[in-house]
Structure formats: C-alpha cells, structure tokens
Amino acid sequence: MFLFATEVGHGLSYEVLGFIILALVFVVVGELFVRLQQPNIVGIMLTAIILGNIFGLFAWSANPILQFLTQIGAIVILFYAGLESDLGELGENFYSGLKVAVVGVIVPFALVFSYLYWISNTSWAVALLSANVLVATSVAVTVAV
C-alpha cells in the first residue's frame, strides 16, 4: 500500500494529492463546459471559486510544492491563451478587441491597485505586483473566452 506521507517526510503529502485531484476536477468541469458550448475557462474559474470557498483551499499557500505548482499553472494558462490566439481573427476585430483589451487591462489594474494601496494600506510594491498579476490573469481569461 502506498503511503501519502511517510514517517520520515518522504512521499506524496495530502496537500499535493488534493491539488492533483483538484486539477483533475478542473479538467472534467472544463470539458463539461465545452460540451455545453461554453468556454472551458469559465467552468474552471467557477469551480475554483466554489471549491475554494467551501474547503478553504487558500490555506495551502504555505506549502512550497504547491506554490511551485501554482506558478507553473499561471505560466500554462498564459501559454494556453497564446496558443488559442488567431492573428487573422484579431485583425478582423481590431477595434472591438482593442476596447475589450483596454478595459480588461486598465480597469482591473486601477481597481486592484487603488484598493490595495489606498484602502488596505499595503505597500506600493505589493499593490503594484498584485495588480499586474490580476491584469495578466484577466488578459489570459479574455483571450481564452
């Protein structure tokens, strides 16, 4: 029998196992949304929001392996969005796409930076970094949709 966390600290921890199960759930939900003719990223994000609130998944952030996996996940979603881009289609819809891109970049950046810097009293660097992360995610989701 395979032990997930051995006595000496080797093996697969429960947090990593849970992360792998979540990834599989996200794949299944994404495929379900595609079959319902909806963007898969919408199903994945809704599932993440619901499960994150139900199970308190954000408490896992102290695990360095999970931090690494989430960083890889952020890179993969941006890469995936880039692969799905069609330059011909972007050229045909340039002005409407430009409006969506400007709103998808400026509005999230301004809202997050303003909230974190002026309302939550976080440092300038943390507010700037958090706003940039949200903008990158917003652009990836916009392209995927």
Side-chain angles (χ1 to χ4, degrees):
M1 180 177 160
F2 180 72
L3 296 175
F4 293 112
T6 62
E7 295 173 3
V8 291
H10 299 289
L12 190 64
S13 69
Y14 287 114
E15 290 89 4
V16 175
L17 178 65
F19 192 82
I20 292 169
I21 291 171
L22 279 176
L24 293 173
V25 168
F26 293 149
V27 168
V28 169
V29 170
E31 183 62 29
L32 177 67
F33 267 67
V34 167
R35 290 178 189 232
L36 294 172
Q37 298 177 351
Q38 298 296 319
N40 67 344
I41 193 78
V42 174
I44 292 169
M45 290 180 66
L46 287 174
T47 305
I49 291 168
I50 292 168
L51 292 178
N53 286 316
I54 291 173
F55 296 112
L57 301 176
F58 301 110
W60 291 356
S61 63
N63 189 328
I65 295 172
L66 293 178
Q67 288 177 353
F68 173 74
L69 290 174
T70 55
Q71 291 169 355
I72 295 297
I75 292 169
V76 167
I77 193 170
L78 292 172
F79 183 70
Y80 176 73
L83 287 177
E84 293 290 316
S85 300
D86 181 14
L87 292 179
E89 188 177 332
L90 287 174
E92 293 172 5
N93 303 314
F94 179 76
Y95 291 109
S96 61
L98 183 64
K99 290 178 203 173
V100 170
V102 168
V103 171
V105 170
I106 293 174
V107 171
F109 182 86
L111 290 175
V112 171
F113 183 82
S114 299
Y115 175 77
L116 290 176
Y117 187 66
W118 286 302
I119 297 174
S120 295
N121 294 323
T122 59
S123 70
W124 181 80
V126 170
L128 187 66
L129 178 67
S130 299
N132 281 325
V133 167
L134 187 71
V135 165
T137 306
S138 172
V139 168
V141 169
T142 302
V143 169
V145 170

